[in-house]
Amino acid sequence: MSTNPSRTLLPVPNPHPDREYEVEIESPEFTALCPVTGQPDFATITFKYVPGPYICELKSLKLYLWSFRDEGHFHEDVTNMILKDFVEFIQPKKLHVTGRFNVRGGIYTTVRAEYEAGQ
């Protein structure tokens, strides 16, 4: 596996497909650029998901999140992009992605996006 940023998430077969369980992953070092000023935005991205056929290999997730570092994105857009891509690659039954963006100009932003299979 490469160590370069990538927009590919590696699905791994779910070791316990016979039961529902929740996985929580927190990445406190997410960075992207403000699309208006070009300044860095810092965030904690949290995933809570109920696996379907796959779980997410964590190194691929780290490299995926790293791929946003030099790109300009609004907080709302990037959080929803992350949710969409995670659903496409990992096929969870349920997924909540929360982006908690650090203060900028005296304002904190928290964006929550959700997905549930079949809805």
Coordinates of all heavy atoms in Angstrom, one line a residue, residues 22 25 31 51 60:
E22 N -21.1 -1.3 16.5 CA -20.7 0.1 16.1 C -19.2 0.3 16.2 O -18.6 -0.2 17.2 CB -21.4 1.1 17.0 CG -21.1 2.5 16.5 CD -21.9 3.6 17.3 OE1 -21.4 3.9 18.4 OE2 -23.0 4.0 16.9
I25 N -14.4 5.9 15.0 CA -13.0 6.3 14.6 C -12.9 7.8 14.7 O -13.8 8.5 14.2 CB -12.7 5.8 13.1 CG1 -12.9 4.3 13.0 CG2 -11.3 6.3 12.7 CD1 -12.9 3.9 11.5
T31 N -7.0 18.4 8.0 CA -6.7 19.7 7.5 C -7.2 19.8 6.1 O -7.1 18.9 5.3 CB -5.2 20.1 7.6 OG1 -4.5 19.2 6.9 CG2 -4.8 20.2 9.0
P51 N -21.0 -1.7 10.5 CA -20.5 -2.3 9.3 C -21.5 -3.1 8.6 O -22.4 -3.7 9.2 CB -19.3 -3.2 9.8 CG -18.9 -2.6 11.1 CD -20.2 -2.1 11.7
S60 N -5.6 3.3 5.1 CA -6.2 3.9 3.9 C -7.1 5.1 4.3 O -7.1 6.1 3.5 CB -7.0 2.8 3.1 OG -8.2 2.5 3.7

